Amino acid sequence: MNWTPVLDADQLRENTPKVIRHEGRAIVLFQRGSELFAYDQKCPHQGYPLSLGQVDGECRLTCFWHQWKFDLRTGRNIWSGDHLPIYPTRIEHGKVYLDFTPKDKTLLQKELLADLDEAMNDRDFERLARILVKWQEAKLDSREPLRWAIISRQDRFEYGMTHAYAAAEAWWSFSEEPDLAPADRITAQCEALDIIAFDTLRQPRFPFKSEPAPYDLDSLKLALANEHEANALGQIDAALQAGITVTELLAHLVEVALSHYASFGHALIYLLKIECLVSMLGPAVTRPLLANWVRHWVYATKEDRIPDFQSYGPLVAQLKQQGFGSNPEVPRPPQFPSIKATLAATVELAQNHTPKALWQSLLGQAAEQLLCFDARYILANANPVQDNVTWLDFTHALTFAEAVYHFGQKDPQIWSAGLLQLACFIGRNRPYLTSRAQPQAMTESQIRQKILDHGFEPPIFPAHYIKTFRAIRHLQTLAEPAQVVLDEALWCFLQASFPVKKGARAVLQAIQLLGKGEKQK
């Protein structure tokens, strides 16, 4: 105990708050009968002076600014919200003593994680910020809030992995850049937790079922092909128990992810993010992340089953048989109006060029396409549903290109499928182009400010800001010829407008779907 004299006892008046100061902190003393309470003067919500509050007969303090109520005996918030810091008191030899002993770090971390759970259940961004400030001041493990969030909310994604974990990795990695200001660091971490909170808000638990089964690669592929979540997860559990590394498992799952043009490339992008998160946070997050990826795959759309993309599978087989050439020069990218023609042209270019050269060509074209996106498609209400195209259709090509390169360097066998899926993006986006934009150049400081102070709701839009920014900065280290166009693409994306709701479009498309072709007056 660290008892410190703070006041002569004869200065106390019953039922009358007395404000004292200790090492720069204002503290309220409040005496009622034989009980003496000491608590922070600042309301933990927004700082209103609690000496102006009211204490009822049950020793509950009300802050009149927002009607928050606290139990003075425990400091607990009667409702959901931050709790009130209190201090043990005693009166001895005519002096008031307070105990300022810092809380044990293990206990403090447990309390802050409980607070974090409440804040995420309410999706209270301001409370998240206050918790992370306290976390930083206490010098606790800086990565534990994200580790805890991934583990504690792992079974609240009904359809498996979403942008939440992927964006959280990008936000948290960004927060650890050495030249980031402390406030910016906490902002990025709040964004990481906020998107997880958003995607799990008011969701019940959807428990993962795991059927015991020995791990076998062909059996795992079959279970995933048959969308059998429990069997696939049982095999992954067996693999982890047998000591098979995450790297080995991910290599096998990459094959699965590229067996279809699935969820517009997200299946592969998410595997890269899983690898990054496990590297950052350790093995405790391995199973939660892999389980969510399995569930994502089970529910994922398989676009190569629709007519536009049906040539993907046969052309992958053709390219694997044909192989790649040896020319390292970056070829001119294919310029064809259809997805099928773009894929065929990519296979033809592969006869002479190396995988990396072809990858750089497709990457450069993806960046150019973002600069040429006709944003009128976002604003239009009369589009058919298949033309509901946004900036994110173009940024996904860049984040997917990053994943293709990463896994292609580890296993050259995946280049064929990876490059043809990248070509799927190029072919799919081509009809939605117009003249090239001329974005205003941005400094790195301006880019960071735009990302951190984005002003968007919901968090899916800033999630793509940070993911695209991080991917582009990495891609620029891999593809020097594309550095300039990638910068321009990033500037264009950050300067674009995002209508966050298109109610009129949704209604018109519903009428088109259900109106049996009747003309609308």
Side-chain angles (χ1 to χ4, degrees), residues 83-337:
H83 306 295
L84 178 63
I86 61 173
Y87 307 90
T89 67
R90 75 180 187 190
I91 298 176
E92 192 173 82
H93 306 305
K95 294 282 188 181
V96 175
Y97 289 83
L98 301 186
D99 180 17
F100 294 108
T101 303
K103 282 187 178 179
D104 173 75
K105 284 197 171 186
T106 301
L107 175 60
L108 177 60
Q109 176 167 308
K110 183 178 179 180
E111 290 179 352
L112 288 176
L113 289 177
D115 292 348
L116 187 59
D117 191 43
E118 290 182 3
M120 293 186 72
N121 286 340
D122 294 334
R123 199 187 161 224
D124 187 337
F125 194 98
E126 292 181 356
R127 191 177 181 191
L128 287 177
R130 294 191 293 270
I131 292 167
L132 289 181
V133 168
K134 293 174 188 176
W135 194 280
Q136 179 173 281
E137 289 177 346
K139 295 182 170 56
L140 300 172
D141 177 357
S142 63
R143 293 174 173 175
E144 180 58 24
L146 179 59
R147 185 183 296 113
W148 169 87
I150 289 173
I151 295 170
S152 67
R153 276 164 165 68
Q154 61 180 292
D155 57 356
R156 293 192 181 180
F157 296 90
E158 183 175 5
Y159 302 108
M161 195 167 185
T162 68
H163 284 288
Y165 287 158
E169 184 281 327
W171 280 118
W172 213 275
S173 295
F174 180 52
S175 80
E176 295 184 349
E177 291 191 1
D179 58 340
L180 212 60
D184 292 341
R185 193 179 314 281
I186 293 174
T187 300
Q189 292 176 357
C190 284
E191 292 283 0
L193 298 176
D194 179 58
I195 191 168
I196 296 175
F198 180 83
D199 277 12
T200 59
L201 189 63
R202 301 184 183 90
Q203 290 293 316
R205 297 195 178 275
F206 303 96
F208 290 102
K209 296 179 181 179
S210 175
E211 292 181 356
Y215 176 70
D216 174 77
L217 178 56
D218 289 334
S219 296
L220 175 63
K221 289 179 178 179
L222 181 62
L224 290 168
N226 291 331
E227 300 176 355
H228 196 324
E229 177 183 315
N231 183 269
L233 194 51
Q235 292 194 57
I236 285 177
D237 285 339
L240 293 172
Q241 291 165 10
I244 294 176
T245 66
V246 176
T247 301
E248 290 176 278
L249 270 176
L250 289 178
H252 297 161
L253 295 178
V254 166
E255 291 183 46
V256 175
L258 292 173
S259 65
H260 291 281
Y261 183 41
S263 58
F264 285 108
H266 285 94
L268 189 71
I269 294 169
Y270 290 164
L271 289 175
L272 174 57
K273 294 301 182 178
I274 288 173
E275 182 176 304
C276 294
L277 284 166
V278 172
S279 175
M280 177 194 294
L281 303 174
V285 300
T286 300
R287 207 274 186 173
L289 293 171
L290 289 176
N292 270 284
W293 188 90
V294 167
R295 181 170 286 174
H296 165 78
W297 180 263
V298 167
Y299 287 104
T301 56
K302 312 298 192 295
E303 283 81 25
D304 56 307
R305 291 173 174 167
I306 62 178
D308 285 351
F309 298 98
Q310 281 181 353
S311 64
Y312 167 75
L315 286 172
V316 169
Q318 180 181 330
L319 181 52
K320 285 183 176 179
Q321 183 177 11
Q322 167 193 294
F324 291 89
S326 58
N327 187 347
E329 293 184 8
V330 179
R332 289 179 60 84
Q335 302 286 339
F336 291 95

